[in-house]
Amino acid sequence: MDLVVFFSSLVVFCTFALMPLAHKAGAPILLIVLGIGMLLGVDGPGGIRFYSFQTGFDLGSIALAIILFAGGLETERGMIRNAWKSSILMATLGVLVTALVVGLFATYVLGMPPLVGLLLGATVASTDAAATFLLIQQSKGGLGVRVKNTLVLESGLNDPMAIFLTVSLTAMVNGGVPNSAAEIGGFLLFLGAQITIGLVGGIAGGRALIFVIDRMSLPNGTYPAMALSGALVIYAAVALLGGSGFLAAYIVGIIIRNRLRRPLDNILNFNEALQWISQMALFLMLGLMVAPSHLLKDIWAALAIAGVLMFIARPLAVMISVGWTGFSVRENIFLSWVGLRGAVPVLLAIYPVITPGPVTIEFFNIVFVIVVTSLIAQGWTIVPLANLLRLGEQDEQEDVAET
């Protein structure tokens, strides 16, 4: 155990220490963590064999819940008022369009079975909260307020739709297409439960949590841990009831940020640090799960899908969902490019692999390559593109016009 603590703590410490270098080089820190995980894995000098996809899925889900809760804590009321319509459209209609375009390409160009192709499209359809929160933080100076708020809210809200599509299509791949009204109704009921229970559970649980915290007198250092543990209770309870625990965790964070009467500094600082650690642990674990030598088998198919996702599917999704809602041409271009994929697609790719069906580990490897390609191509170009499009200047001009 001492050896495990030594190496795991050393990796986290070194990753924090590399953050200034990553900022200067423009490299997304998550890529560095992912690379460290692959070096420690079965094909690297570390030689660690981590093949338990079920364990990876369970631990990754907890880490993602913590990340979303911390993201909610960073979401002020003004952000919601400014961008809730556009973010909801992108989190629902945008996800559907992305999944359909990628699925059709995988089916008709790469020759995948139709349902497997659509399943692949659903898996990579949602933007990733961990990657988006992190890279938006690194790009504060060059983004307009409405664009930044839309991207952040979209990444926190689009998980229920992606989960619904992935779970439903996995069931179809394993058991066949529903051919009765009852089966179709069951799928729609599942979607409604994910969103409704997640939304109601997050709002009710968040208000109950701040009611308790505001009326308790505890040492200041204990409030952050209490808030986090309460958020995880709500996340797990909502999931047990059949709702989206991720959506609930995100909403709890928003409610605490905007309604808690006690000073928030301790809670915000604690969860910011824990968010970083969770991101690092999540991407480190995903790196451990991958054997780089196995990625070469389907590398060209994965790169082709990544290209379609970034240059065709995402722009179409933006144009159809929010292109007509008042964004300028420059803003639409930026929204079309910044569709960062990260931990969520990789976690969703684990789901059909661990279920009894025809989907194999090659499916996971393809999604992994798509995510890495997105992080490299899009993560490295966010700041230069924002500066090139002068989004910050446009936002300042709008503020002046409003005053």
Side-chain angles (χ1 to χ4, degrees):
M1 179 57 69
D2 291 338
L3 193 61
V4 172
V5 172
F6 174 78
F7 280 109
S8 59
S9 301
L10 180 63
V11 168
V12 173
F13 180 84
C14 291
T15 308
F16 276 118
L18 287 171
M19 285 175 58
L21 177 62
H23 279 287
K24 290 181 180 179
I29 189 67
L30 298 179
L31 276 177
I32 297 176
V33 178
L34 200 62
I36 294 174
M38 295 172 73
L39 288 173
L40 294 174
V42 63
D43 281 353
I48 299 175
R49 297 179 178 272
F50 183 66
Y51 291 131
S52 178
F53 276 62
Q54 183 66 61
T55 301
F57 184 79
D58 294 337
L59 294 178
S61 297
I62 296 171
L64 183 60
I66 295 172
I67 292 166
L68 285 168
F69 172 63
L73 288 173
E74 297 173 2
T75 305
E76 298 179 0
R77 184 178 288 109
M79 295 175 61
I80 301 172
R81 186 165 50 246
N82 179 267
W84 70 271
K85 291 181 181 179
S86 55
S87 59
I88 289 176
L89 284 171
M90 290 179 66
T92 52
L93 181 58
V95 168
L96 286 171
V97 173
T98 303
L100 182 61
V101 173
V102 173
L104 291 176
F105 175 81
T107 298
Y108 293 104
V109 178
L110 300 179
M112 288 185 177
L115 287 177
V116 176
L118 291 173
L119 175 60
L120 181 63
T123 302
V124 300
S126 67
T127 57
D128 184 75
T132 301
F133 291 155
L134 185 57
L135 292 173
I136 290 298
Q137 287 173 355
Q138 294 179 357
S139 312
K140 288 180 180 178
L143 298 184
V145 173
R146 189 185 176 204
V147 172
K148 180 175 68 176
N149 293 348
T150 298
L151 288 170
V152 170
L153 289 174
E154 175 205 8
S155 66
L157 295 173
N158 58 16
D159 291 327
M161 179 62 73
I163 292 171
F164 163 73
L165 292 175
T166 301
V167 173
S168 300
L169 287 166
T170 299
M172 294 181 194
V173 169
N174 295 342
V177 179
N179 52 18
S180 67
E183 291 177 337
I184 296 174
F187 283 124
L188 295 177
L189 183 63
F190 172 77
L191 173 61
Q194 281 280 304
I195 297 176
T196 303
I197 298 176
L199 189 63
V200 174
I203 294 174
R207 291 187 174 182
L209 184 58
I210 62 173
F211 178 85
V212 172
I213 294 176
D214 275 335
R215 283 159 179 79
M216 294 191 70
S217 180
L218 298 172
N220 286 335
T222 62
Y223 287 110
M226 185 178 183
L228 175 64
S229 59
L232 291 178
V233 167
I234 297 167
Y235 156 78
V238 167
L240 288 171
L241 291 173
S244 173
F246 298 124
L247 178 61
Y250 184 59
I251 291 175
V252 170
I254 294 175
I255 291 176
I256 289 178
R257 173 58 185 262
N258 294 284
R259 288 182 174 269
L260 192 67
R261 296 177 183 176
R262 292 184 181 275
L264 283 171
D265 290 344
N266 287 346
I267 294 177
L268 294 175
N269 293 335
F270 174 84
N271 282 281
E272 182 181 6
L274 196 61
Q275 179 189 36
W276 275 98
I277 294 175
S278 298
Q279 289 168 348
M280 293 175 189
L282 180 55
F283 278 81
L284 182 67
M285 181 188 68
L286 294 175
L288 285 173
M289 294 175 65
V290 171
S293 59
H294 296 169
L295 300 178
L296 298 177
K297 180 180 178 181
D298 300 298
I299 186 71
W300 297 115
L303 291 175
I305 295 172
V308 169
L309 174 64
M310 292 187 293
F311 293 103
I312 299 177
R314 173 70 178 185
L316 275 177
V318 169
M319 291 300 106
I320 292 174
S321 60
V322 299
W324 45 273
T325 59
F327 286 108
S328 68
V329 173
R330 287 182 288 170
E331 289 172 332
N332 280 319
I333 291 173
F334 189 78
L335 290 171
S336 298
W337 181 243
V338 188
L340 289 162
R341 268 63 191 178
V344 171
V346 181
L347 283 176
L348 291 181
I350 296 175
Y351 180 76
V353 174
I354 62 178
T355 59
V359 178
T360 63
I361 194 173
E362 282 75 18
F363 184 91
F364 171 83
N365 290 336
I366 290 174
V367 174
F368 186 87
V369 173
I370 294 171
V371 167
V372 172
T373 304
S374 173
L375 283 174
I376 293 174
Q378 296 172 307
W380 248 304
T381 55
I382 285 180
V383 176
L385 182 61
N387 293 334
L388 179 65
L389 296 173
R390 299 178 181 176
L391 295 180
E393 294 180 13
Q394 176 174 309
D395 194 64
E396 291 175 2
Q397 293 171 0
E398 291 175 356
D399 290 341
V400 172
E402 289 177 0
T403 56

